[in-house]
Amino acid sequence: MKVIISGKGGSGKSTISVLTARALSDRGYKVLLVDGDESNVGLHRLMGISQPVVFMDNFGGKKGFKQRLNQAFPKGNADEILGRSMKFDDLPDECVADVDRIKMIAIGKIHNEGEGCACPVGMLSKMVLSRLVIEDDEIVIIDAEAGVEHFGRGVVAGCDMVICVVDPSFESFMLAKKITDMAESAGKELCFVLNKVDDNVEDAMCKNIDKGKVIAKIPNSNEIFMDSLEGRKISTDIPEIGEICKKIEESKKNFSSE
Ligand SMILES: Nc1ncnc2c1ncn2[C@@H]1O[C@H](COP(=O)(O)OP(=O)(O)OP(=O)(O)O)[C@@H](O)[C@H]1O
Ligand SMILES: [Mg+2]
């Protein structure tokens, strides 16, 4: 299963990605946690480690990668860059961090002012995800950038399931509707995780969301908030994350029996 975590900026995508990756690892899965957000600075930090080499930088950055693409494409495809398929172990060691039995990789980052658009990062994400061949005990969790760019760039096409994180805001409800349409047109299973849920917002959230697609309600947690405020790794256990794992396991079973 390759599961992409989508949603509005600040809704909690990175937090849910990290907590879900940890919970799946605790259940015995080999997890690859992919930082697919070119703008964030913090996914590794949320796991309490510093950033290893960014995958795109291994190709000489965006410039080097674009040159490799230009060389490859006249011949018809980009297989000569990453091969026709990849396994977890084919990812370059220098780009992969092993933390809490989870492998982590960041696809690409914007480093400098004026360096151009992030399309090559989307391209590389798409190439990696569509080539990754995973074993039955392996799961990939992708922390996407905010909004819907990953749909536009075709990154979602290489995933099996979309989890849209919804926080208590009208913008989040609107985006959830848009993501519902986009996931449907991409032919991908879509679920919602309601995040930062307090008693006083739960009813309003449920009213504005297709309830049948809600797989978990993650409480508003002061521990998560304080870890973030003070720049610590996320240390809290949130039992409701287990509901996300159950759904991923269930979809994984259906997926492998198809
Ligand atoms: N359940 C929660 N309870 C309390 N605070 C939360 C919860 N989930 C996330 N947060 C806080 O909300 C903020 C945004 O979270 P996070 O960085 O995970 O969101 P994001 O969707 O990945 O943001 P971005 O779009 O910038 O990548 C952080 O301060 C985080 O600690
Ligand atoms: Mg994030």
Side-chain angles (χ1 to χ4, degrees):
M1 282 299 277
K2 300 172 203 168
V3 183
I4 189 157
I5 313 290
S6 195
K8 185 181 79 64
S11 59
K13 299 175 295 300
S14 300
T15 304
I16 301 293
S17 297
V18 163
L19 290 170
T20 304
R22 279 215 198 114
L24 287 167
S25 167
D26 288 346
R27 286 174 179 237
Y29 293 100
K30 293 179 188 157
V31 180
L32 175 67
L33 178 57
V34 178
D35 182 351
D37 182 350
E38 66 276 348
S39 299
N40 79 19
V41 286
L43 195 66
H44 286 76
R45 192 182 49 71
L46 298 188
M47 292 290 288
I49 57 166
S50 52
Q51 171 90 63
V53 176
V54 173
F55 195 29
M56 174 77 74
D57 296 353
N58 221 30
F59 293 99
K62 278 201 266 181
K63 200 169 161 205
F65 178 66
K66 275 200 234 168
Q67 278 167 358
R68 293 283 300 273
L69 275 180
N70 289 338
Q71 283 159 9
F73 269 115
K75 292 182 198 155
N77 65 53
D79 287 350
E80 57 194 75
I81 301 178
L82 293 180
R84 290 180 74 169
S85 65
M86 308 174 74
K87 295 184 173 168
F88 277 18
D89 288 343
D90 295 331
L91 293 164
D93 287 346
E94 61 276 24
C95 299
V96 179
D98 267 295
V99 52
D100 298 345
R101 291 168 287 112
I102 295 168
K103 288 183 188 294
M104 277 193 83
I105 186 164
I107 300 290
K109 293 287 171 191
I110 296 171
H111 296 300
N112 300 307
E113 184 272 335
E115 68 169 65
C117 77
C119 295
V121 181
M123 181 69 160
L124 185 56
S125 296
K126 182 177 164 180
M127 285 167 60
V128 171
L129 292 173
S130 60
R131 280 170 174 75
L132 261 183
V133 177
I134 52 180
E135 304 293 328
D136 202 43
D137 60 345
E138 295 176 337
I139 295 180
V140 185
I141 301 288
I142 305 111
D143 176 29
E145 82 290 337
V148 290
E149 187 85 32
H150 41 287
F151 283 93
R153 288 174 180 163
V155 176
V156 171
C159 303
D160 306 309
M161 180 181 183
V162 180
I163 292 182
C164 174
V165 179
V166 181
D167 69 1
S169 69
F170 194 71
E171 288 73 16
S172 217
F173 306 150
M174 298 295 285
L175 187 66
K177 289 199 176 84
K178 189 167 185 171
I179 286 179
T180 303
D181 292 343
M182 289 181 137
E184 193 181 324
S185 94
K188 302 295 171 184
E189 180 178 15
L190 169 74
C191 303
F192 295 132
V193 169
L194 305 188
N195 191 27
K196 310 186 190 182
V197 181
D198 277 333
D199 288 348
N200 59 339
V201 296
E202 186 171 346
D203 285 352
M205 291 180 87
C206 291
K207 227 184 276 167
N208 282 287
I209 282 290
D210 177 354
K211 282 205 288 285
K213 288 189 165 54
V214 175
I215 56 168
K217 296 174 188 171
I218 309 300
N220 197 18
S221 150
N222 194 48
E223 285 88 352
I224 291 181
F225 178 79
M226 288 311 293
D227 282 344
S228 165
L229 181 65
E230 296 184 358
R232 292 190 294 258
K233 78 184 249 188
I234 300 179
S235 55
T236 323
D237 259 344
I238 304 281
E240 289 82 354
I241 293 289
E243 300 300 317
I244 305 177
C245 298
K246 268 191 220 153
K247 178 64 191 175
I248 293 174
E249 283 177 318
E250 191 188 301
S251 299
K252 187 173 163 315
K253 252 187 228 151
N254 295 338
F255 197 74
S256 13
S257 66
E258 267 172 20

